[in-house]
Amino acid sequence: MADIALLGDRDATLITHRAVDAVVERFPSWARGSWIATDSPDAAQLDDYHGVWVAPGTPYRDDQAVYAAIRRRRERRAPILGTCGGFQYMVVEYARHVAGLSDAAHAEADPTAHTAVVAPLACRLVGEERAVWCVPGTRLAEICGVEPFTGFHLCGFGVADGYLERLTSAGLVVGARGEDAGVEGIELPEHPFYVATLFQPQMAALRGARLHPLIDAFLSAARAMSGAPADVPSAAW
């Protein structure tokens, strides 16, 4: 069995969290998901999970627990997926501990931060659907293809342009882009699965759609880590 930690402060009033729940209901038989609250003791004990999905919903009740979990998954080369808020926190963690920006911050949590690598978007994308396209040659392109697709957004923050070159020079790869949000996806090519997106791939599950290919790929990476046998794979997006 591939165990997936849904790291976030579950709130059933949030449509994005209900969508995550809908995805979990569609997990293949060899995977199971468990919500882990960021302010719970379990948030510091995720090593036994084969995959960690850093869920939307920021600021988290314990931001530092989330940053610590992201860093450990990155350094242990264990599968991790971040969506929306998870994407933003993965950018900040990488900036702090790899790109040499030790004071890197998220402007939502610290509006006066000197080094806000995650800053307000020029155009808030709250409940908006926008075209996203993957960069050829990246893992996201391999998973989702290179043709533009529609991504759901519920966010007001993204990667600050002034820090993007510093991040990519340190090895972070931009895997997807969009007109309004700029950077839509990041990844680490040499990592078994380190991918994060500003768009939220879980939303189609609320309409009864099959799993988004990005979620399928994440689950497959977790399954590989667990050694669980696969049953019939999920159908294409």
Side-chain angles (χ1 to χ4, degrees), residues 42-85:
D42 291 342
Q45 302 176 23
L46 300 179
D47 286 356
D48 290 339
Y49 285 89
H50 306 108
V52 171
W53 181 350
V54 188
T58 60
Y60 300 106
R61 292 201 293 260
D62 188 339
D63 279 355
Q64 296 313 309
V66 176
Y67 285 127
I70 292 169
R71 182 177 186 179
R72 188 157 177 81
R73 300 301 288 191
R74 177 178 55 77
E75 293 179 343
R76 289 188 67 239
R77 296 175 54 78
I80 182 169
L81 170 68
T83 58
C84 194

Side-chain angles (χ1 to χ4, degrees), residues 4-223:
I4 309 298
L6 312 168
L7 183 59
D9 304 312
R10 184 180 179 276
D11 181 349
T13 68
L14 299 179
I15 189 172
T16 54
H17 285 189
R18 297 198 301 274
V20 172
D21 290 340
V23 166
V24 173
E25 291 174 358
R26 290 165 173 75
F27 274 5
S29 62
W30 43 261
R32 62 187 171 198
S34 303
W35 279 95
I36 305 295
T38 66
D39 59 351
S40 71
D42 291 342
Q45 302 176 23
L46 300 179
D47 286 356
D48 290 339
Y49 285 89
H50 306 108
V52 171
W53 181 350
V54 188
T58 60
Y60 300 106
R61 292 201 293 260
D62 188 339
D63 279 355
Q64 296 313 309
V66 176
Y67 285 127
I70 292 169
R71 182 177 186 179
R72 188 157 177 81
R73 300 301 288 191
R74 177 178 55 77
E75 293 179 343
R76 289 188 67 239
R77 296 175 54 78
I80 182 169
L81 170 68
T83 58
C84 194
F87 163 95
Q88 296 160 9
Y89 277 57
M90 287 170 70
V91 168
V92 173
E93 189 282 323
Y94 197 86
R96 289 177 178 176
H97 300 116
V98 182
L101 299 168
S102 60
D103 59 344
H106 190 310
E108 182 181 32
D110 186 357
T112 63
H114 176 70
T115 310
V117 298
V118 171
L121 295 171
C123 177
R124 285 175 56 84
L125 299 176
V126 179
E128 298 287 341
E129 293 187 334
R130 290 289 191 275
V132 176
W133 58 91
C134 297
V135 178
T138 62
R139 176 174 289 178
L140 273 165
E142 179 182 347
I143 294 169
C144 301
V146 296
E147 294 299 319
F149 60 89
T150 301
F152 177 89
H153 301 77
L154 194 65
C155 61
F157 296 85
V159 180
D161 291 339
Y163 296 102
L164 184 56
E165 183 177 354
R166 181 72 172 264
L167 292 165
T168 56
S169 294
L172 197 67
V173 170
V174 175
R177 294 184 178 274
E179 289 182 359
D180 293 328
V183 178
E184 284 274 5
I186 57 168
E187 58 188 65
L188 291 178
E190 304 305 318
H191 192 285
F193 196 94
Y194 178 104
V195 179
T197 64
L198 198 60
F199 69 89
Q200 304 207 35
Q202 73 272 18
M203 298 306 294
L206 287 174
R207 304 193 300 270
R210 298 183 176 110
L211 296 186
H212 191 285
L214 178 57
I215 296 173
D216 259 344
F218 168 61
L219 292 177
S220 294
R223 181 186 61 78

